[in-house]
Amino acid sequence: MYKDGIAENMVSIKDVAKHANVSISAVSKTLNGYSDVSETTRQRILKAAQELNYSPNMLAKNLKHKVTKTIALIISNFEQTSGKDGVMFQIMSGVYAAATRYGYEVVIYTRSLSEQQDRSYWQFCKDHKIAGVVISGLRTTDPYFEELVKSDIPCTVVDAHTVGPHTGSVITDNLLAARRAVQYLISKGHREIGMVNGHKYATVSIQREQGYREALESAGIPFIDSRVIEADFSEEKAYTLTEEYINNNPQLTAIFVASDLMAIGMINRCKEIGLRIPEDISIMGFDDIVLSSYTTPKLSTISQDFAGIGFAALEQVVKMLENNLPGYHKILPFKIVDRESIKTL
């Protein structure tokens, strides 16, 4: 039997391309499920393939969305991620440990903000047949964040609160941890307590400031807006802002700092301007990175289980994939680590 002069059992993608008046590449991408083909072109190619009766079994196979046992770890804005704190390495370690246990492979996908204009995360996952995704470091302002978490690709977001049919999240209980940190300072006799936060686009920053406010309120201490500043989770920015911040708030006896790296920046600058830690001012960190136990004085802080976060994030993706479960929000515990940077008044 022939169609347009072509034997059905001899039809190739070249014939389909000619019949649809498109490139062979466009036919190949369409039949293999790639996303960078317009919907109009895709429909024209599928129609041509059906009209030519192009390998019906192969066509059905190709049209089915195939995925590998590969989970992507997407790290947003990777070039600005500090390697000094070791946080991302610990998260990656947890992700890989879970992948090994459940028999998955992990690929790391990093994108700068400029690169994200060229291809979205969703397109990357579709193009590479990614089964599921763990996302770390995404700001809520990321233009492709909503697209990915609302897609049909199982996805777990680290340090956020996002739940949907195919989307879940894993986070430390930041609000309670911050509240406990400030209450700990209050238990040591401090009532004039400032806060150095990360940035307003991070879920963890919002929660940690709320915890700070709640701790003050529960102790009958008024919240003073000027005592809270942002240093973008940067050691360098915290270092730069320290002198002016302390000069503008001379009453402070303690500072709750929303990351250990920022706390280290502040400690270093305090030493340079003649302030002793903790004799002149106490500092409480957050994260418990390796460096926090090597500072002078050793930093008191909130300890997070970053490897546990990574493990739980990938494990949730596997549950969505293999058990057809909806996404859920998982909160991990924390602990206070008391070292040497807090004075009892």
Side-chain angles (χ1 to χ4, degrees), residues 206-219:
I206 296 169
Q207 294 179 344
R208 290 172 195 176
E209 182 173 335
Q210 184 179 348
Y212 165 78
R213 288 170 176 258
E214 289 182 5
L216 295 182
E217 181 181 0
S218 65

Side-chain angles (χ1 to χ4, degrees), residues 242-283:
T242 295
E243 185 172 8
E244 181 180 3
Y245 175 67
I246 290 178
N247 286 340
N248 290 339
N249 298 278
Q251 318 93 317
L252 295 181
T253 62
I255 305 171
F256 168 52
V257 189
S259 82
D260 287 351
L261 272 186
M262 293 191 295
I264 290 170
M266 296 193 75
I267 288 173
N268 290 337
R269 185 57 181 151
C270 282
K271 291 178 182 178
E272 292 177 356
I273 60 177
L275 291 176
R276 299 167 300 163
I277 311 294
E279 291 83 1
D280 298 321
I281 193 158
S282 295
I283 293 182

Side-chain angles (χ1 to χ4, degrees), residues 116-121 142-149:
Q116 286 166 201
Q117 304 305 315
D118 301 325
R119 183 169 59 161
S120 71
Y121 303 122
D142 188 298
Y144 297 115
F145 175 82
E146 188 173 352
E147 176 192 38
L148 182 57
V149 299

Side-chain angles (χ1 to χ4, degrees), residues 174 177-182 184-185 194-196 208 254-264 266-267 277 282-289 292 295 298-304 334-342:
N174 287 278
R179 191 163 69 220
R180 292 282 187 267
V182 177
Y184 185 72
L185 291 171
M195 179 179 183
V196 177
R208 290 172 195 176
I255 305 171
F256 168 52
V257 189
S259 82
D260 287 351
L261 272 186
M262 293 191 295
I264 290 170
M266 296 193 75
I267 288 173
I277 311 294
S282 295
I283 293 182
M284 180 77 172
F286 202 111
D287 287 337
D288 193 25
I289 64 175
S292 63
T295 58
K298 296 177 181 178
L299 181 64
S300 297
T301 186
I302 294 292
S303 178
Q304 295 194 74
F334 62 90
K335 62 181 180 180
I336 293 176
V337 180
D338 184 11
R339 294 193 177 104
E340 302 170 350
S341 62
I342 299 173

Side-chain angles (χ1 to χ4, degrees), residues 86-256:
V87 169
M88 188 52 63
F89 175 77
Q90 292 179 63
I91 291 174
M92 289 168 58
S93 296
V95 166
Y96 274 97
T100 300
R101 172 176 294 185
Y102 292 105
Y104 283 78
E105 294 183 342
V106 176
V107 296
I108 298 175
Y109 179 50
T110 63
R111 302 289 278 175
S112 66
L113 292 177
S114 59
E115 287 173 326
Q116 286 166 201
Q117 304 305 315
D118 301 325
R119 183 169 59 161
S120 71
Y121 303 122
W122 180 85
Q123 288 174 318
F124 168 82
C125 294
K126 289 292 186 182
D127 289 350
H128 293 271
K129 303 294 186 293
I130 299 298
V133 180
V134 173
I135 307 177
S136 181
L138 242 63
R139 294 192 180 205
T140 55
T141 53
D142 188 298
Y144 297 115
F145 175 82
E146 188 173 352
E147 176 192 38
L148 182 57
V149 299
K150 289 187 175 181
S151 75
D152 60 353
I153 301 172
C155 173
T156 306
V157 185
V158 172
D159 281 346
H161 190 163
T162 305
V163 175
H166 306 287
T167 307
S169 47
V170 178
I171 197 169
T172 299
D173 195 338
N174 287 278
L175 190 154
L176 182 59
R179 191 163 69 220
R180 292 282 187 267
V182 177
Q183 287 173 338
Y184 185 72
L185 291 171
I186 293 170
S187 73
K188 296 289 186 177
H190 298 276
R191 294 186 64 83
E192 306 293 337
I193 305 168
M195 179 179 183
V196 177
N197 209 349
H199 59 74
K200 61 184 177 181
Y201 301 112
T203 299
V204 297
S205 294
I206 296 169
Q207 294 179 344
R208 290 172 195 176
E209 182 173 335
Q210 184 179 348
Y212 165 78
R213 288 170 176 258
E214 289 182 5
L216 295 182
E217 181 181 0
S218 65
I221 302 172
F223 171 80
I224 301 174
D225 188 68
S226 62
R227 289 185 174 181
V228 179
I229 62 171
E230 294 181 351
D232 202 25
F233 296 107
S234 164
E235 178 184 0
E236 292 76 15
K237 286 188 179 180
Y239 173 91
T240 302
L241 293 170
T242 295
E243 185 172 8
E244 181 180 3
Y245 175 67
I246 290 178
N247 286 340
N248 290 339
N249 298 278
Q251 318 93 317
L252 295 181
T253 62
I255 305 171
F256 168 52

